[in-house]
Amino acid sequence: MVEAQESEILKLCQQHIGEYRIRNNQIVARVCPFCKGGNSGDMETFSVGLYNGAFSCLRGGCGKTGSFRELCEFFGVRPAKVVSMPSSRAKRLYVRPTLNLLPVTEEIVSYFEQRKISRDTMEAFGISANNHGDIIFPFYRDKELVYVKYRKPRKHKKEDGPKEWQESNTEPILFGMDNAAFNQPLYITEGEIDAMSLYEAGVTNVVSVPCGCNNLEFVSLCWDWLEKFQRIVLFGDSDEPGIEMVSTLMKRLGEDRCMIAPEYPELLIDGEPAGRACKDANEILY
């Protein structure tokens, strides 16, 4: 299957992009077929992923990105079926959330500051509040609010009820989709605060799964969007469910384009070893 996919991608590139070389599972063209290198004649800015045919040009004046299907359409070729969308059940009808997104409270700001996350990062992800003072994590796709999650701005206690909850019958897409660029590797974390932690640390091309490690419905719902990335870095929690999620995602998104975050460092508390590794991106940031 993979060899057949690579053959289709190579065939298209051989016929339409001119001189190229293969590097790190990518077809790197001598000249971008869209911008032709611009006025300065920049070379080797355009690449096509061998796994799924996703393409991108790194040249600032061009920045073209897209899926293999879109590349075929650009060259006037009938698109080949390279990577199939995962099978899914009958399409479910979702509703769009309707609610007032209020400015964050000082309690919410303090909560994120304790987790070493700044106001700038909160603003980048559109963090808001409801009229009860709960944190709102808004999930946007093409600037449309699609999904909403909540949590209280303090350490969770069993008597508080669920740690997190969401608007019912809304579409569970990836958190942070509108911040991502297709011409960079995409990082996927297991939680919204982990995605914000990577963003705080300078890894800004990052999203989070919407419903923890046990619900991967987002793969089908976001497939066309995910298809456009040549490289995906999976940054799950270091516990057993997190490791299982990463393994499953690698198979569904394609092992040829997925990488796993390296082994997590040891957790330090007040400068002293805690006797275990950090469990997630936020503990690493902290």
Side-chain angles (χ1 to χ4, degrees), residues 12 17 22 27 35 39 50 63 70 105 123 127-128 135-136 171 190-191 194 198 224 247 266 270:
L12 180 79
I17 73 168
I22 296 177
I27 297 168
C35 66
N39 294 332
L50 267 177
E70 291 167 326
T105 64
E123 290 174 4
I127 301 302
S128 306
I135 302 168
I136 291 180
E171 186 179 1
E190 195 174 320
D194 293 324
L198 286 183
D224 288 343
S247 176
E266 185 174 14
D270 296 328

Side-chain angles (χ1 to χ4, degrees), residues 221-271:
L221 297 174
C222 302
W223 181 258
D224 288 343
W225 186 81
L226 287 164
E227 186 185 16
K228 297 181 180 182
F229 290 93
Q230 294 182 18
R231 286 283 183 269
I232 294 176
V233 182
L234 303 174
F235 210 115
D237 288 2
S238 62
D239 57 13
E240 189 172 334
I243 293 169
E244 184 177 348
M245 181 195 78
V246 166
S247 176
T248 302
L249 279 179
M250 283 196 75
K251 293 172 184 174
R252 297 189 67 179
L253 299 178
E255 295 181 12
D256 287 358
R257 65 166 171 164
C258 287
M259 296 177 284
I260 301 175
E263 186 175 341
Y264 296 174
E266 185 174 14
L267 176 66
L268 300 178
I269 298 178
D270 296 328

Side-chain angles (χ1 to χ4, degrees), residues 14 28 43 58 66 72 88 126 134 138 152 159 165 173-174 176 185 231 255 257 259 266 274 284:
Q14 288 166 353
V28 182
M43 293 188 294
L58 297 176
C72 288
S88 59
D134 300 316
K152 296 187 181 298
E159 55 266 29
W165 65 100
I173 63 170
L174 289 158
R231 286 283 183 269
E255 295 181 12
R257 65 166 171 164
M259 296 177 284
E266 185 174 14
I284 295 172

Side-chain angles (χ1 to χ4, degrees), residues 69 113 176 208:
R69 180 177 62 254
E113 284 179 345
S208 165

